[in-house]
Amino acid sequence: MERTLVILKPGCLQRGLIGEVISRFEKRGLKLVAMKMVQLDEEILKVHYAHLLDRTFFPWLRDGMMAAPVILCCWEGYSAVQVVRDMAGATKASKAVPGTIRGDYSLSAQENIVHTSDSLENAEIELKRFFVESDYCEYKSPLDPFKYAPDEY
Ligand code: UDP
Ligand code: MG
């Protein structure tokens, strides 16, 4: 089963959308295996958004990500990385398709509610960035046979 990182951004928390967003992943059939609330700092954001460090908007993005705590989640499921990415929608939320998280809850390219890992390789790197092994909970999912074919989990 794949695992992917979702960060519920400060705007998600401040706007009272945490439950809405988590509920979408739950209803899709994804399994929550780790979760914590943290205040991000500049040091970790420079690493997490290293690909955007030289962009003029980086200081706005950094400050926005530090404006309130975030919720870090690890979701597990069949093809979880792409499924979660598709559920988030386009980065520029004004272009995101209705029915996606960004397409339903945001108009902004910056304040776009969630971070989602963009590949399996980056999901592994990002999960190691924010979680340690003891943060994960192993538990049985008795509904798996009702969610998946035998070769899907
Ligand atoms: N971002 C921004 N302006 C842009 C592009 C990106 O403020 O023109 C912010 C936005 O919050 C986005 C984050 O930088 O979610 C990371 O950008 P990336 O291209 O990795 O998009 P994502 O993977 O989040 O869709
Ligand atoms: Mg990205």
Side-chain angles (χ1 to χ4, degrees), residues 31-45:
K31 181 181 178 186
L32 187 61
V33 293
M35 187 180 205
K36 58 183 172 184
M37 183 188 253
V38 299
Q39 173 64 51
L40 297 180
D41 61 21
E42 180 163 5
E43 193 184 351
I44 203 160
L45 285 165

Side-chain angles (χ1 to χ4, degrees), residues 75-104:
W75 291 96
E76 184 181 89
Y78 183 78
S79 197
V81 174
Q82 194 58 48
V83 164
V84 165
R85 188 91 184 149
D86 290 344
M87 289 175 74
T91 306
K92 289 186 196 318
S94 60
K95 305 264 189 219
V97 174
T100 63
I101 292 163
R102 289 165 171 171
D104 286 349

Side-chain angles (χ1 to χ4, degrees), residues 6-17:
V6 173
I7 306 177
L8 307 183
K9 294 185 176 186
C12 182
L13 181 142
Q14 292 289 22
R15 291 177 53 199
L17 294 172

Side-chain angles (χ1 to χ4, degrees), residues 5-152:
L5 175 73
V6 173
I7 306 177
L8 307 183
K9 294 185 176 186
C12 182
L13 181 142
Q14 292 289 22
R15 291 177 53 199
L17 294 172
I18 291 168
E20 298 275 351
V21 173
I22 287 175
S23 179
R24 288 180 176 225
F25 296 128
E26 285 181 312
K27 286 175 187 163
R28 186 72 190 265
L30 291 152
K31 181 181 178 186
L32 187 61
V33 293
M35 187 180 205
K36 58 183 172 184
M37 183 188 253
V38 299
Q39 173 64 51
L40 297 180
D41 61 21
E42 180 163 5
E43 193 184 351
I44 203 160
L45 285 165
K46 278 184 172 168
V47 177
H48 186 65
Y49 287 132
H51 61 297
L52 299 171
L53 262 182
D54 59 355
R55 301 295 293 269
T56 50
F57 61 77
F58 180 79
W60 294 350
L61 171 61
R62 175 200 63 202
D63 292 351
M65 290 297 290
M66 298 196 304
V70 298
I71 314 285
L72 304 166
C73 316
C74 176
W75 291 96
E76 184 181 89
Y78 183 78
S79 197
V81 174
Q82 194 58 48
V83 164
V84 165
R85 188 91 184 149
D86 290 344
M87 289 175 74
T91 306
K92 289 186 196 318
S94 60
K95 305 264 189 219
V97 174
T100 63
I101 292 163
R102 289 165 171 171
D104 286 349
Y105 300 125
S106 173
L107 297 169
S108 172
Q110 177 182 301
E111 295 302 316
N112 56 7
I113 314 295
V114 285
H115 165 82
T116 62
S117 304
D118 64 6
S119 66
L120 190 53
E121 187 190 1
N122 281 337
E124 282 168 17
I125 293 168
E126 292 178 351
L127 286 167
K128 286 207 174 81
R129 178 172 302 141
F130 292 106
F131 290 111
V132 294
E133 265 318 302
S134 59
D135 291 329
Y136 293 95
C137 290
E138 300 293 337
Y139 58 101
K140 293 241 178 300
S141 240
L143 292 181
D144 275 354
F146 298 93
K147 293 183 185 172
Y148 295 116
D151 65 347
E152 291 172 335

